[in-house]
Amino acid sequence: MREKILIANRGEIALRIMEACELLELDYVAVYTKEDEESLHVRRAKKKYRISDYRDMNDLLAVADEEKCIAIHPGYGFLSENYRFARRVIKRERPLIWIGPSWEAIRDLGNKLYMKKVAKELGIPIIPGTVDPLYNEIEAELKAEELLEEAEAQGFESISFLVKAVAGGGGMGIEEVKNLEEIRPVFRRVRAYAKRLFGEEGIIIEIKIPVFQHLEVQILGTKDGEYVHFGTRNCTIQSPFRQKRIELAPGFCERFQFNFDPKAVESAIINYSLKLAQHFNYDSVGTFEWLITPDGKYYLMEVNTRIQVENEISAKISFINGKQVNLLREQIRVALGDKLGYSQEDIEFRGMSLEFRLIAEDTRRGFMPLSGTITKFQFPDYPWLTVRTHVPQDRPYVIPTQFDPNLALAIIYAEDLENLLERSRRFLDEAIIEGITPKGDPLITNIPYLKEKLALIYQFI
Amino acid sequence: MKIDFSQLTELLQELKQNPYKLYPVYTPHTGKILEFLVKEGDAVRGPTGTWLEKPGTPLFVLEREKNPKIIRASHNGIVQDLRLDLVNKFVEAGEQVLTIRHPLSQEEVISEILLSALLIVRAPETARYILSPDLAKKLEKEGLGKVRVKTGDELLIMTFMKRETPITLSQEGQFVIFQLYFKPFELVQSGSPLIGLCPVEDLPNLEKLITRIKEEWS
């Protein structure tokens, strides 16, 4: 009998997991909620169960048992970085395999402060800042003075600080401070805000990096301690709320001017990422996010202990024995106990890839996500284009409002930069997304924004 | 905007002829239905007590992850359409397992009437809502049927796709906040009623109608 995987997620990632299962000749069971009945992931799955919520652990485990699944794939978002769930999956009376890193690695790397502490001990560069949460404004001012000296010694100019709530994120509970005298009042304000909003008062202070590129390293580890990387990605183009909109692989393009050796920086961040992964016995796919300054300094920001939305652009440029990689397939295979069967030398990097996130959002009004009905949804068909979407093309689709507003991912491959840009432009010109909002207005998408931002790829912004 | 009182009288007649409402009972989550605790035609009771602290009649047992859970009636009425075929089966979330035929009470008749009479502010999106803080304060002090709002006033704050958007009154005129249909931060389906407004000039007549229903419907 073929082994069965529970796909504990929705939308396009559920579809990509189904495809990977089919490649590995595994069976799968899908789940969905009432709002998602029209999603393609429901239509494609032969076996599926309606559950109350994608975050309902009991429902997921009950379905897994009912269907005699041997493993759970959490996808991204929802429970994918919930170490309690990862632990419960493997520690129950009928244990299941967790298709992701060990729960301990999720716990330790997901705690940003702890991760940075360990990184610092291992000599991995992190943004100059406090490692422990601060609760007192006098202490905060002292720390800021120390930071200022440290940053000046590192060659920073016109330094400003970020006062961040430990419990914050996504742009909430964070304020910029331009000079030391303001540290105490701002500290008190952010602390009061954090207490009110998150119920947690801890504050950290960091040096603000005004201009940068956002790079990330894709790694893969196994239970047997094998490690490889699939190069880097550049995710600098983000919405004002720090959500990625255009991603590129590889992370640097030599056709652009640099004040540093991009090859050396790339290999340094790869090696440091692997070092941290090994320290935590990391045994799955994972992403290490780095910030690169225009003079070639690099700082580790965070680790994503899951498969990422943008994994496929790395897969497109990575070849093993002449064949393109599928990272979801690799993730599942490794979780089920397979050895890699190849080493770093066998991975050849060829060409470039770009991903657009197509979203119904009003980029001129604060990137407001829009609800409504998609009435026309068409993409061109090219060998260099892969579109990942859960939106049906043969009938109107009401966008559910409970989830993130992504409609589709467009992944474009080319041999070089000219072709990549030309194809990306062609895709944006030819893609058609039409619809109406509940008020009856035409649905707006971010396609014009993506066209505009395409001019800024690989730049320091 | 004016309330059409003749139409309301018609609706009242209809409700008198068929004073029932059907409430389907769904499984709240997945699991195995171990047994039914009611039979076809049984009378069941919804939660009672001043704070609805006494739970409703047990209907069936749903077991998941080794936890049996008793699902109870949320309304008074008579059990019908019992799905006995589901006993000992694994069911999905949201499966309809029985229906409660519920006789309308006086308050419910009034609320049906109000839903047709009042100007209803409906949820523009499936989202979570709270009253605008100023309005919430006034309502807490003065109560329903007293607080006035006019065109352009901020009524609600909608939390939608992780953003907060204010909702203001777009209709022309002066209104009294007469009814609230939602709980703060609860998910409200798009198009569901949120607030019922009564035009200031219709307030005396509407209150008269409600008194009449209370007398006629005991």
Side-chain angles (χ1 to χ4, degrees):
Chain A
M1 208 182 74
R2 296 196 346 172
E3 288 175 316
K4 210 184 270 182
I5 309 290
L6 179 82
I7 302 175
N9 211 301
R10 65 180 293 271
E12 75 76 22
I13 190 64
L15 284 160
R16 276 196 277 184
I17 298 166
M18 289 176 200
E19 187 189 282
C21 285
E22 283 160 13
L23 289 172
L24 290 164
E25 300 192 339
L26 293 164
D27 279 340
Y28 54 82
V29 185
V31 292
Y32 67 102
T33 62
K34 211 168 84 236
E35 303 77 32
D36 251 348
E37 269 163 2
E38 294 301 316
S39 164
L40 286 183
H41 91 271
V42 185
R43 216 196 290 182
R44 171 151 178 190
K46 269 194 233 90
K47 198 82 201 168
K48 58 211 156 194
Y49 284 82
R50 188 175 54 233
I51 56 169
S52 54
D53 192 309
Y54 292 107
R55 288 183 190 81
D56 190 320
M57 304 181 192
N58 290 312
D59 262 2
L60 295 168
L61 293 169
V63 172
D65 286 347
E66 176 66 16
E67 280 294 319
K68 303 192 171 53
C69 295
I70 59 145
I72 293 189
H73 197 306
Y76 51 67
F78 299 121
L79 295 168
S80 59
E81 288 170 285
N82 183 318
Y83 72 87
R84 291 171 185 277
F85 183 54
R87 180 176 180 277
R88 184 166 160 198
V89 164
I90 63 159
K91 291 224 178 218
R92 54 208 297 270
E93 200 173 295
R94 185 180 168 275
L96 296 158
I97 294 166
W98 171 256
I99 303 180
S102 70
W103 66 270
E104 294 96 335
I106 300 176
R107 178 192 61 192
D108 294 345
L109 288 165
N111 179 335
K112 266 197 199 181
L113 288 185
Y114 181 71
M115 182 280 283
K116 285 187 177 173
K117 208 175 215 171
V118 175
K120 203 169 185 177
E121 280 164 19
L122 293 173
I124 299 171
I126 54 170
I127 296 174
T130 58
V131 183
D132 291 308
L134 301 164
Y135 295 94
N136 173 312
E137 68 264 33
I138 305 290
E139 195 190 345
E141 194 180 59
L142 273 172
K143 285 283 178 195
E145 280 166 11
E146 281 174 35
L147 278 179
L148 189 65
E149 271 176 40
E150 191 187 329
E152 275 168 352
Q154 287 192 32
F156 280 95
E157 285 162 20
S158 56
I159 296 159
S160 64
F161 303 95
L162 290 177
V163 178
K164 285 180 171 179
V166 169
M172 310 239 291
I174 177 164
E175 275 196 54
E176 186 179 342
V177 174
K178 289 223 156 62
N179 51 57
L180 268 177
E181 294 85 77
E182 287 171 42
I183 283 280
R184 282 184 295 138
V186 172
F187 182 91
R188 282 195 295 264
R189 188 157 68 231
V190 175
R191 185 179 57 188
Y193 177 87
K195 192 179 178 187
R196 204 169 65 237
L197 226 72
F198 313 119
E200 154 67 51
E201 291 185 69
I203 301 289
I204 53 168
I205 300 177
E206 268 178 16
I207 294 296
K208 186 187 177 181
I209 314 281
V211 177
F212 57 85
Q213 290 193 26
H214 176 128
L215 260 71
E216 53 190 35
V217 179
Q218 176 69 57
I219 71 123
L220 171 64
T222 69
K223 291 179 178 35
D224 298 307
E226 301 168 282
Y227 288 94
V228 290
H229 68 84
F230 293 92
T232 54
R233 297 186 281 262
N234 190 315
C235 310
T236 311
I237 296 181
Q238 303 186 356
S239 82
F241 301 94
R242 294 257 144 266
Q243 283 166 335
K244 295 166 187 168
R245 289 293 179 266
I246 301 178
E247 296 111 333
L248 296 129
F252 287 128
C253 173
E254 284 165 32
R255 300 279 304 279
F256 289 80
Q257 289 289 316
F258 293 93
N259 298 326
F260 56 88
D261 177 6
K263 277 219 169 77
V265 169
E266 190 179 28
S267 92
I269 63 174
I270 287 171
N271 289 333
Y272 278 128
S273 299
L274 288 169
K275 185 174 182 182
L276 192 59
Q278 279 167 7
H279 180 83
F280 284 100
N281 294 321
Y282 197 88
D283 56 352
S284 184
V285 291
T287 302
F288 293 67
E289 299 199 333
W290 294 80
L291 208 139
I292 316 291
T293 67
D295 55 351
K297 288 197 202 63
Y298 42 87
Y299 301 107
L300 179 63
M301 287 190 296
E302 63 176 70
V303 182
N304 292 309
T305 55
R306 55 172 156 82
I307 190 78
Q308 275 190 297
V309 176
E310 62 271 28
N311 78 82
E312 201 163 345
I313 54 169
S314 297
K316 291 274 182 220
I317 64 161
S318 305
F319 295 81
I320 297 173
N321 298 325
K323 273 187 72 181
Q324 244 164 8
V325 171
N326 178 323
L327 284 171
L328 282 152
R329 180 182 176 273
E330 295 306 292
Q331 182 194 20
I332 297 170
R333 209 166 63 78
V334 159
L336 300 187
D338 264 17
K339 294 208 174 186
L340 282 185
Y342 51 83
S343 63
Q344 192 64 54
E345 293 74 54
D346 300 318
I347 303 172
E348 184 202 346
F349 296 104
R350 211 157 70 206
M352 303 182 74
S353 187
L354 176 150
E355 175 177 89
F356 289 124
R357 300 198 188 188
L358 299 169
I359 299 171
E361 63 183 358
D362 194 343
T363 53
R364 298 191 190 285
R365 285 192 205 129
F367 285 73
M368 170 121 126
L370 300 171
S371 74
T373 306
I374 305 272
T375 51
K376 197 171 177 194
F377 199 58
Q378 280 176 16
F379 302 109
D381 187 13
Y382 293 114
W384 43 261
L385 172 69
T386 310
V387 176
R388 298 291 185 182
T389 182
H390 59 281
V391 179
Q393 282 175 269
D394 57 351
R395 58 182 171 204
Y397 175 76
V398 180
I399 306 170
T401 57
Q402 290 82 349
F403 312 115
D404 71 45
N406 276 1
L407 294 178
L409 306 171
I411 299 147
I412 292 147
Y413 179 81
E415 301 71 32
D416 54 37
L417 185 65
E418 277 75 31
N419 275 307
L420 189 73
L421 284 169
E422 201 267 320
R423 289 172 179 181
S424 300
R425 274 188 221 108
R426 196 189 309 173
F427 168 79
L428 291 177
D429 285 339
E430 294 176 6
I432 300 171
I433 306 176
E434 287 170 12
I436 45 167
T437 67
K439 281 188 201 136
D441 301 326
L443 196 67
I444 306 172
T445 71
N446 64 344
I447 289 180
Y449 166 86
L450 295 173
K451 280 183 186 168
E452 203 181 300
K453 291 290 170 182
L454 197 54
L456 295 177
I457 60 165
Y458 285 123
Q459 300 194 15
F460 283 95
I461 47 180
Chain B
M1 179 200 136
K2 275 249 155 207
I3 294 179
D4 180 355
F5 283 94
S6 68
Q7 195 199 325
L8 291 183
T9 318
E10 243 170 69
L11 177 63
L12 201 54
Q13 279 308 321
E14 275 171 41
L15 289 174
K16 271 184 185 161
Q17 271 158 27
N18 183 24
Y20 294 99
K21 197 167 179 180
L22 295 178
Y23 284 103
V25 178
Y26 301 101
T27 49
H29 51 67
T30 64
K32 195 170 166 185
I33 294 188
L34 293 186
E35 59 171 327
F36 279 103
L37 306 170
V38 287
K39 299 188 304 294
E40 194 83 17
D42 277 2
V44 293
R45 223 187 40 206
T48 49
T50 320
W51 301 279
L52 298 178
E53 76 279 15
K54 290 177 200 143
T57 311
L59 299 175
F60 61 95
V61 185
L62 182 63
E63 186 195 58
R64 181 184 63 166
E65 284 285 278
K66 290 187 211 145
N67 288 316
K69 180 174 183 172
I70 294 175
I71 310 299
R72 292 166 181 274
S74 55
H75 295 86
N76 299 342
I78 304 295
V79 172
Q80 62 178 47
D81 307 331
L82 209 54
R83 291 281 308 278
L84 290 170
D85 58 304
L86 294 179
V87 175
N88 273 321
K89 296 253 165 65
F90 186 82
V91 292
E92 294 179 298
E95 185 84 48
Q96 187 175 339
V97 285
L98 60 96
T99 304
I100 296 174
R101 187 164 182 254
H102 167 75
L104 290 174
S105 68
Q106 186 196 74
E107 294 82 52
E108 286 163 332
V109 171
I110 293 173
S111 101
E112 288 284 315
I113 293 288
L114 287 179
L115 213 48
S116 311
L118 300 174
L119 169 71
I120 304 291
V121 179
R122 290 180 187 276
E125 309 277 2
T126 300
R128 294 171 205 281
Y129 296 84
I130 53 166
L131 280 172
S132 123
D134 286 350
L135 196 58
K137 239 182 248 165
K138 273 194 212 160
L139 272 174
E140 202 177 309
K141 219 166 103 191
E142 298 177 40
L144 288 171
K146 303 259 181 347
V147 179
R148 290 189 178 199
V149 287
K150 58 175 194 312
T151 320
D153 283 359
E154 188 179 289
L155 298 178
L156 297 150
I157 294 168
M158 169 175 78
T159 306
F160 170 62
M161 287 175 169
K162 298 184 182 169
R163 292 293 186 83
E164 291 178 352
T165 316
I167 295 174
T168 53
L169 181 59
S170 52
Q171 274 80 8
E172 289 295 327
Q174 283 249 359
F175 299 90
V176 170
I177 301 218
F178 206 85
Q179 196 79 309
L180 294 180
Y181 293 98
F182 71 103
K183 291 195 186 97
F185 296 113
E186 199 177 58
L187 189 72
V188 180
Q189 293 297 317
S190 159
S192 298
L194 292 169
I195 298 183
L197 300 171
C198 178
V200 171
E201 62 272 24
D202 282 333
L203 194 60
N205 280 333
L206 188 66
E207 277 168 349
K208 243 180 257 169
L209 179 70
I210 291 171
T211 321
R212 210 183 89 201
I213 300 172
K214 280 184 181 160
E215 282 163 5
E216 287 176 9
W217 210 289
S218 43

